[in-house]
Amino acid sequence: MLSWLFSDPLSVGAAAPDFTLPDQDGNLVTLSALRGRNVVLVFYPADDTTICRRQLCEFRDQWELAQQKNTLVFGVNPQSAESHAKFRERCSFLFPLLTDRGQKMGELYHTRGLAAKRTVYLIGPDGVIRYARRGKPEPAEVLAAAV
């Protein structure tokens, strides 16, 4: 019953579950449509809180490195598109924030909780998880797993 509380991230080497979620502007993002690119998913608990802001700003500040590594970055949590749009604009994020209403994607990626569990994944161009870690890893560490 409380298995979600103690779950580990998905394993490196596992196939990443496909998903389709709307971003802050209502555009749908589907993982399988992004094949051929590295994809970073940053699951974070809440828009505009200190640690979440810092974490996403670190990815914003490493945008050039992400681009060099053929990598798309997405923030993910269950808050509304309106909340995401304001947060994204206020912090000048160059990447979309996805709305995971009901944490259905969070369940697939083992991040579902009372608040989304802070977890970062890097999915390779082939759809295989190449990096998975709870917490707030440095973007350079995450991007080092890009192929």
Side-chain angles (χ1 to χ4, degrees), residues 20-107:
T20 299
L21 287 180
D23 70 9
Q24 72 285 336
D25 298 321
N27 302 310
L28 293 180
V29 174
T30 300
L31 179 62
S32 58
L34 303 176
R35 291 283 159 84
R37 305 281 306 266
N38 293 293
V39 175
V40 170
L41 300 175
V42 181
F43 289 88
Y44 64 102
D47 291 341
D48 228 3
T49 58
T50 304
I51 295 172
C52 297
R53 186 180 325 103
R54 186 176 312 132
Q55 181 175 31
L56 292 173
C57 285
E58 287 172 359
F59 277 95
R60 176 201 64 202
D61 295 346
Q62 292 295 315
W63 188 248
E64 189 174 315
L65 177 59
Q67 295 300 287
Q68 290 170 5
K69 299 246 182 188
N70 190 33
T71 302
L72 301 170
V73 177
F74 298 92
V76 185
N77 86 12
Q79 288 182 269
S80 71
E82 181 181 9
S83 175
H84 284 347
K86 289 177 184 174
F87 182 40
R88 185 173 184 260
E89 183 177 338
R90 200 167 23 259
C91 294
S92 302
F93 296 142
L94 302 170
F95 49 86
L97 302 179
L98 305 179
T99 298
D100 183 20
R101 284 290 201 209
Q103 295 190 62
K104 290 178 177 67
M105 182 181 168
E107 193 159 327

